[in-house]
């Protein structure tokens, strides 16, 4: 088993090299909270990587779930993630069920499926994103239980943004996350998403989905004022980066059918600087 310091360094490396949006907000945290955030991210990243590997199977996810159970019981294997992860979970009293929910959500991607209704999609988003929000606000620190409700909504906002950004890539993998009831309402077929066809119907569908995502950003906005003072700049930056990505998608919605839309690094840096200087 590697030392805590070595594990934290490993997790910081994973976050810095892989967290395209999250890491920029981490730099505004204290070293202690930054290490915890990177440890949680490294855990999540490993979950995602397992589901994205060619030939990924439920067996691999079952092994990771067992490894998590053992680690939380004080019997970690030799993964370099565990010392930093377990330190963060203990230090910030993060409920263990969040991590099992993450695994269940990611494991569901191993089965090609569709969502008939938004309620079904919401349950998926909760497992893969809201539980992330619920986890990290324990690191940010909070007093009011209302923060948990808003963290859930914030996670939904982030995941809806990811879904809209990744429509083309997901369609190529046979994954369609937009609810069938929405596709039917705007007369857009799942096949069209993979074909990259720009139509007025798709534009109307995107307007609807963008508006829905914005509602969750608006409703979760008070969360920034509910976390500990020393965490607010980081959370403000994180929300600004994701909502900025949603705005970028909204500029030319049909572009998601032909390319992966992202915020330029310089814009993310500017958001972080602006958040750092905010009172």
């Amino acid at each position: 088993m590697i030392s805590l310091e070595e594990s934290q360094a490993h997790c910081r490396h994973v976050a810095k090299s892989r967290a395209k949006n999250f890491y920029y907000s981490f730099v505004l945290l204290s070293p202690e909270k930054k290490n915890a955030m990177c440890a949680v991210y490294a855990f999540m990243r490993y979950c995602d990587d397992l589901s994205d590997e060619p030939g990924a199977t439920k067996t691999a996810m079952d092994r990771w779930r067992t490894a998590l159970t053992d680690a939380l019981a004080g019997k970690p294997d030799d993964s370099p993630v565990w010392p930093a992860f377990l330190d963060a979970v203990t230090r910030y009293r993060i409920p263990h069920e969040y991590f099992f929910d993450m695994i269940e959500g990611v494991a569901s991607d191993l089965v090609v499926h569709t969502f008939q209704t938004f309620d079904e999609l919401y349950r998926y988003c909760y497992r893969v994103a809201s539980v992330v929000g619920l986890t990290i606000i324990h690191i940010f620190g909070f007093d009011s239980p209302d923060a948990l409700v808003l963290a859930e909504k914030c996670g939904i906002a982030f995941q809806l943004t990811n879904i809209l950004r990744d429509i083309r890539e997901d369609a190529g993998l046979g994954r369609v996350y937009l609810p069938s009831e929405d596709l039917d309402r705007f007369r857009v077929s799942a096949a069209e998403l993979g074909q990259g066809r720009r139509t007025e119907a798709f534009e109307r569908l995107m307007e609807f989905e963008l508006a829905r995502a914005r509602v969750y950003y608006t409703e979760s906005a008070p969360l920034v004022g509910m976390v500990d003072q020393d965490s607010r700049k980081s959370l403000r930056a994180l929300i600004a980066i994701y909502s900025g990505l949603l705005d970028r998608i909204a500029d030319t919605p049909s572009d998601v059918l032909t390319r992966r839309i992202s915020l330029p690094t310089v814009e993310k840096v500017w958001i972080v600087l602006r958040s750092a200087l905010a009172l």
Side-chain angles (χ1 to χ4, degrees):
M1 177 68 67
I2 65 174
S3 69
L4 173 60
E5 292 74 18
E6 291 171 325
S7 177
Q8 289 173 332
H10 167 78
C11 293
R12 288 195 301 270
H13 172 74
V14 171
K16 187 174 183 179
S17 60
R18 303 289 301 279
K20 304 304 182 184
N21 291 319
F22 273 86
Y23 189 77
Y24 286 90
S25 70
F26 293 177
V27 301
L28 297 174
L29 293 169
S30 67
E32 179 183 279
K33 288 188 174 183
K34 179 181 177 181
N35 279 331
M37 292 286 278
C38 289
V40 168
Y41 176 82
F43 172 85
M44 295 186 302
R45 183 74 269 162
Y46 189 78
C47 289
D48 283 342
D49 287 348
L50 278 179
S51 70
D52 289 338
E53 288 179 358
T57 64
K58 182 177 179 294
T59 301
M61 299 304 298
D62 288 341
R63 285 198 296 267
W64 185 235
R65 187 184 297 103
T66 298
L68 171 63
T69 300
D70 290 344
L72 292 171
K75 300 176 289 184
D77 60 25
D78 58 0
S79 169
V81 171
W82 293 132
F85 174 82
L86 294 172
D87 178 76
V89 171
T90 301
R91 186 184 300 270
Y92 295 102
R93 300 177 182 177
I94 304 173
H96 296 176
E97 63 262 26
Y98 293 156
F99 302 107
F100 290 100
D101 277 341
M102 288 180 200
I103 292 176
E104 290 303 316
V106 173
S108 70
D109 280 332
L110 297 177
V111 180
V112 177
H113 56 75
T114 58
F115 300 100
Q116 298 301 314
T117 67
F118 179 68
D119 285 345
E120 292 179 7
L121 175 60
Y122 188 101
R123 287 193 291 273
Y124 168 79
C125 291
Y126 175 86
R127 283 182 163 177
V128 298
S130 288
V131 291
V132 178
L134 291 166
T135 296
I136 66 177
I137 66 161
H138 281 77
I139 298 172
F140 284 147
F142 66 96
D143 293 318
S144 172
D146 291 342
L148 295 170
V149 177
L150 298 188
E152 178 178 329
K153 291 177 180 288
C154 191
I156 299 297
F158 286 5
Q159 188 61 24
L160 292 178
T161 301
N162 288 339
I163 286 170
L164 296 178
R165 178 197 61 193
D166 297 338
I167 284 176
R168 178 181 62 88
E169 293 179 28
D170 288 334
L173 295 172
R175 299 172 178 171
V176 177
Y177 292 96
L178 298 181
S180 296
E181 64 181 7
D182 294 353
L183 297 179
D184 293 342
R185 175 179 177 180
F186 293 97
R187 298 183 180 181
V188 175
S189 70
E192 287 179 277
L193 301 180
Q195 294 165 359
R197 292 178 54 193
R198 296 170 180 257
T199 64
E200 290 185 10
F202 180 76
E203 290 284 346
R204 290 193 297 272
L205 170 66
M206 286 295 290
E207 288 177 8
F208 176 80
E209 303 296 349
L210 288 162
R212 171 184 277 159
R214 287 195 182 98
V215 168
Y216 285 96
Y217 280 106
T218 300
E219 291 182 350
S220 63
L223 180 62
V224 174
M226 292 183 179
V227 299
D228 288 355
Q229 184 71 42
D230 66 345
S231 300
R232 291 176 186 174
K233 292 179 179 181
S234 177
L235 179 56
R236 185 181 295 114
L238 184 58
I239 292 173
I241 288 171
Y242 268 90
S243 61
L245 175 58
L246 189 74
D247 290 340
R248 183 61 61 90
I249 293 170
D251 287 341
T252 50
S254 290
D255 279 4
V256 298
L257 295 175
T258 57
R259 66 185 180 91
R260 184 183 177 89
I261 296 176
S262 63
L263 287 185
T265 298
V266 66
E267 189 169 344
K268 294 176 186 176
V269 171
W270 171 240
I271 288 173
V272 171
L273 289 174
R274 193 169 61 212
S275 298
L277 296 173
L279 296 178

